[in-house]
Amino acid sequence: MKARSLVIGGALLLSIALPVNAQQAQEPRVEQLEGYLVTPQQLQFDESLLQQLQVPAGFRINVFAKDLGNARMLAVAPDGTIYLTRREQGDVLALLDSNQDGRADEIRTVASGYKYINGITIYQNRLYFVTDRQLYAADLQSPGVIGEPQELINDLPDAGQHPNRTLAFGPDGLLYITVGSTCNACDETNPESATLLRAQPDGSNRTIYATGLRNTIGFGWHPETGELWGMDHGSDWRGNEQPPEELNLIAEGGNYGWPFCYADRRPDVYLPTNPTGTTKEEYCANTQPPALTYTAHSAPLGMIFYTASQFPEEYRNDAFVTMRGSWNRNPPSGYKVVRVRYENGKPVKFEDFITGFLNEEQLTQFGRPVGIAIAPDGSLLFTDDTNGVIYRVSYVGTSN
């Protein structure tokens, strides 16, 4: 087993060859497992860097707020207040744009002391947020003011490798909570790990909605069909191109294959264990395949369907997904916001929407997109949790 590392322009390239054991070597299609640690150098943020970003014709991007630290997920209140979770700071900020100029002019801390806080949503005038193991809710009061948070759940599964829970309310009025896997690839002992859970708004009657989801952070319901779609992360240390990130139609009771399968129900030959009482091939044949796949290791984090009217009509009911960016691929992937085109309620392709955070040589970056939301005026907001920026994307039209 050999490992070689190379540093170019501040980026660490480390190729690690991992051995397979004897049992794995007897399975078909087994090759030496290889992975890469590639970390583009982070540039200090400056608003002049916006000139490097590419957006479609007619769109404009500006800074809604900056110097925010570990800016993660967003929720927009009916009164227009933007709520933001900060995982490393363990708090929730309220951002107000009182003069409606597309930039926050007041920022308040409304909740603090919540380790691993990540997901946030609003339902029936209550603000919900989740840590690795706890779910809380607080009443919305005046703009940028909330009541005392109430603990609703305190026993979500241990986080392990994936502590970033997200949550949203479905068209059925029920609360959906993502629970990532505790590991890269293993047979979980807790049935709630690597799942999507569903509960009543008060946190009661929690059930498992779907399984085999390694780490589905971004998800949402198509505005026309009401179907639930989510982006799942593929496992690491499978090479540069495998496994791809997955866009899944998530149905109640569906099994999406992890840890034994990836991509189109392909058995993971690098996992030494088999499903209880069957083979991987037989098991995978009975799981749900992805609707679309995307470049491996891109790390999809936020997903939202566009339902506002500011953007051109062709964007209505399409989805936007933030790709935070890879650490286990050479060359790097992600570091962008992409659009998922839907036709007749079904996804047909991914296409770039905002690029340029990663430089052309792929050695430096100044943004890792995470949370995403629709602002009251129909513009799109998304966060960068590395440089602490919230970006605003608006449509200003094209001139002849």
Side-chain angles (χ1 to χ4, degrees), residues 63-205:
V63 171
F64 179 77
K66 62 181 181 178
D67 301 322
L68 297 174
N70 190 225
R72 292 289 292 182
M73 296 298 178
L74 296 166
V76 181
D79 62 20
T81 304
I82 311 299
Y83 289 94
L84 167 73
T85 59
R86 301 194 303 169
R87 184 187 57 199
E88 291 180 6
Q89 289 76 21
D91 60 13
V92 180
L93 301 183
L95 300 94
L96 295 87
D97 177 12
S98 300
N99 60 6
Q100 299 181 356
D101 65 349
R103 192 163 186 138
D105 44 51
E106 184 178 357
I107 301 175
R108 306 174 185 170
T109 301
V110 298
S112 60
Y114 297 95
K115 186 178 180 181
Y116 292 125
I117 188 172
N118 191 64
I120 189 168
T121 194
I122 291 170
Y123 182 69
Q124 293 187 345
N125 210 46
R126 301 198 85 195
L127 181 73
Y128 291 77
F129 57 88
V130 65
T131 68
D132 56 339
R133 303 208 66 187
Q134 291 84 30
L135 170 71
Y136 299 89
D139 292 334
L140 294 175
Q141 297 177 351
S142 57
V145 178
I146 68 172
E148 183 69 23
Q150 173 191 2
E151 185 181 80
L152 303 181
I153 293 175
N154 61 11
D155 62 346
L156 292 173
D158 290 336
Q161 184 172 318
H162 297 124
N164 299 315
R165 318 304 192 201
T166 52
L167 69 170
F169 280 88
D172 55 9
L174 297 177
L175 177 63
Y176 292 72
I177 306 170
T178 67
V179 178
S181 65
T182 63
C183 58
N184 179 54
C186 66
D187 194 0
E188 298 277 11
T189 58
N190 188 327
E192 287 191 328
S193 294
T195 69
L196 182 65
L197 305 178
R198 184 169 65 179
Q200 294 293 324
D202 63 0
S204 64
N205 298 325

Side-chain angles (χ1 to χ4, degrees), residues 348-388:
V348 293
K349 67 176 180 178
F350 290 94
E351 62 182 35
D352 287 346
F353 184 64
I354 300 171
T355 61
F357 289 109
L358 186 66
N359 76 338
E360 291 184 2
E361 295 76 21
Q362 300 180 314
L363 298 177
T364 64
Q365 58 84 14
F366 67 93
R368 307 197 72 179
V370 179
I372 192 164
I374 301 171
D377 65 356
S379 61
L380 201 65
L381 302 174
F382 67 95
T383 68
D384 162 23
D385 72 345
T386 304
N387 274 316

Side-chain angles (χ1 to χ4, degrees), residues 56-59 395-400:
F59 287 88
Y395 185 74
V396 296
T398 55
S399 57
N400 295 325

